[in-house]
Amino acid sequence: DISFDSLPKEEKLAITKEVLASSDKDVKRMLEESQEKSMILNPKNENNSADKLEKYLYELMNLLGDKVLIEYLETHENIPMPILEKILQGRSINVITWAINSKRYGKEFREKCYKSSSEKIRTSIVECKDTSEDMLIKIAKCDKSSKVRCALAEVNYESVLEILCNDCSSEKEKIALAQNPKTPEAFLEKLAKEGGIAIRRALLKNKKISQEAIKYIYYNTSSGYILGDCIDNVNCPSEVLCHYIKKGAYILLHYSDKILGHPNASEYVIETFANACIKEYKKSSRDNKKFYSSLLRKVYMHENASDKLKEKIDEVLE
């Protein structure tokens, strides 16, 4: 006659483990029948054996730590969704994230929770690699949370990104979109013209940004950091590389490897670089001459160095 609630925690745990570990067909049958009859979460049927079994199950889950609970859920037979939802109430986001990403429970759980009042849960659903494109579109259309929208801005579905681009006001969202290679090119061009320093630097991390956008950013900034970011981008046009070389000795000293190793280092870029080195070489002291002569040798060996340029370098270094 002693109630389950009045038992010490250790005894509750022992009893519940016993029930859950049972391979008895009647125990399994009670769970199945209770699920079919929607009796699992019905508090009015206190005397029903299925209700008692569900109660024991729930009590056990409350006693388990997050790590043990996840291990249990991963290895145990399917737990009915109503019970799983009750088990997860009040649990840490680590357990919720596990449920969202679970191969066994994830799809149904995401369907139930993508409109959750919890921003963390909605963000985790967006970040889940198994979340469908249709669900992401639904979230993009109705969710106004900045964290959720920043997570959406990192997905690979262009359909989702287009929705965000058409309704984007937060700088954080724009930064996330700026770095995503799947973001529509037209929006990247718009950000290049309208964005501030943080957005432009984010754009220049994107390998899909166009040469025209890079040129616009380069010629419309005074920030040394942004100029350097332009050179770092694989799409930086030859025109910009040449302009950057002409900024003086500092560029030759600190950016020679990036310029000479750039995929767009054309014959004209190499010639421009060599001419800048020769100019500095001729006016330098003996020690600096060694540095510029070593740079000229690098230029000489470059695949895009013309025969005419090589002759010129030979004459300077004689």
Side-chain angles (χ1 to χ4, degrees):
D1 293 331
I2 299 175
S3 72
F4 185 76
D5 288 336
S6 67
L7 294 174
K9 180 181 286 189
E10 292 77 12
E11 289 187 39
K12 285 183 183 179
L13 184 58
I15 291 171
T16 314
K17 279 182 176 178
E18 212 172 297
V19 174
L20 292 174
S22 172
S23 60
D24 188 273
K25 292 181 180 179
D26 289 334
V27 172
K28 293 183 178 181
R29 179 180 54 77
M30 281 189 288
L31 268 177
E32 291 170 0
E33 289 179 357
S34 62
Q35 183 182 14
E36 290 173 6
K37 297 176 182 178
S38 300
M39 296 169 64
I40 290 175
L41 297 178
N42 187 350
K44 294 180 180 179
N45 296 318
E46 288 296 329
N47 296 322
N48 185 279
S49 58
D51 291 329
K52 289 182 180 178
L53 182 58
E54 182 274 326
K55 187 176 183 180
Y56 296 158
L57 174 61
Y58 178 54
E59 288 291 341
L60 170 64
M61 299 310 175
N62 276 337
L63 296 174
L64 297 178
D66 288 350
K67 185 177 179 182
V68 178
L69 173 60
I70 290 173
E71 288 176 357
Y72 176 83
L73 292 172
E74 284 178 340
T75 56
H76 194 268
E77 293 181 11
N78 274 13
I79 293 174
M81 187 55 66
I83 292 182
L84 181 64
E85 288 176 2
K86 191 174 180 183
I87 289 168
L88 295 179
Q89 284 178 7
R91 283 286 178 174
S92 74
I93 191 62
N94 292 334
V95 182
I96 303 299
T97 300
W98 169 84
I100 288 168
N101 289 277
S102 168
K103 296 295 182 184
R104 185 181 297 176
Y105 303 104
K107 185 176 180 181
E108 188 175 355
F109 194 78
R110 293 191 295 272
E111 284 288 348
K112 286 180 172 289
C113 298
Y114 79 92
K115 288 185 178 180
S116 168
S117 59
S118 168
E119 184 180 62
K120 288 183 178 180
I121 290 177
R122 301 196 313 275
T123 303
S124 293
I125 289 173
V126 170
E127 292 173 342
C128 173
K129 63 182 178 59
D130 293 324
T131 300
S132 68
E133 181 178 2
D134 287 343
M135 181 174 287
L136 291 172
I137 289 172
K138 289 177 186 176
I139 297 172
K141 286 181 176 178
C142 65
D143 204 312
K144 299 303 178 184
S145 159
S146 179
K147 286 186 178 179
V148 174
R149 292 175 71 82
C150 284
L152 285 166
E154 295 180 4
V155 304
N156 291 324
Y157 295 113
E158 293 183 12
S159 56
V160 176
L161 298 174
E162 284 176 3
I163 293 170
L164 297 179
C165 292
N166 291 328
D167 181 24
C168 181
S169 57
S170 161
E171 183 175 46
K172 288 182 179 179
E173 291 172 45
K174 290 178 180 178
I175 288 173
L177 286 167
Q179 296 181 83
N180 191 334
K182 293 290 186 179
T183 298
E185 186 176 328
F187 189 70
L188 295 179
E189 300 280 349
K190 181 180 179 183
L191 290 178
K193 293 179 180 179
E194 299 176 0
I197 290 178
I199 291 173
R200 287 182 171 182
R201 295 202 73 182
L203 279 169
L204 292 167
K205 292 177 182 177
N206 192 334
K207 293 181 180 180
K208 295 296 183 180
I209 186 174
S210 70
Q211 291 194 348
E212 287 304 311
I214 293 174
K215 284 169 63 175
Y216 184 89
I217 293 172
Y218 179 86
Y219 290 118
N220 288 276
T221 185
S222 57
S223 167
Y225 292 110
I226 291 182
L227 294 177
D229 290 343
C230 288
I231 304 305
D232 288 340
N233 193 288
V234 294
N235 294 327
C236 183
S238 296
E239 174 190 325
V240 169
L241 290 172
C242 289
H243 191 278
Y244 196 60
I245 290 167
K246 294 174 183 177
K247 283 186 173 292
Y250 180 86
I251 304 304
L252 301 176
L253 288 168
H254 297 281
Y255 287 88
S256 59
D257 288 341
K258 286 186 178 181
I259 293 170
L260 294 175
H262 200 283
N264 291 331
S266 62
E267 181 178 326
Y268 180 61
V269 171
I270 299 306
E271 185 178 348
T272 303
F273 187 91
N275 289 334
C277 282
I278 291 169
K279 180 180 177 182
E280 295 298 328
Y281 175 84
K282 288 180 176 179
K283 67 180 183 181
S284 293
S285 62
R286 180 180 297 177
D287 289 339
N288 284 342
K289 270 184 166 55
K290 290 180 181 179
F291 171 75
Y292 287 112
S293 64
S294 68
L295 277 186
L296 287 170
R297 290 190 185 96
K298 282 185 181 180
V299 173
Y300 189 96
M301 299 302 294
H302 197 280
E303 61 182 359
N304 289 330
S306 66
D307 291 339
K308 186 177 179 180
L309 179 62
K310 289 179 180 180
E311 290 176 9
K312 186 175 182 180
I313 291 173
D314 282 337
E315 289 175 6
V316 171
L317 295 180
E318 281 182 356

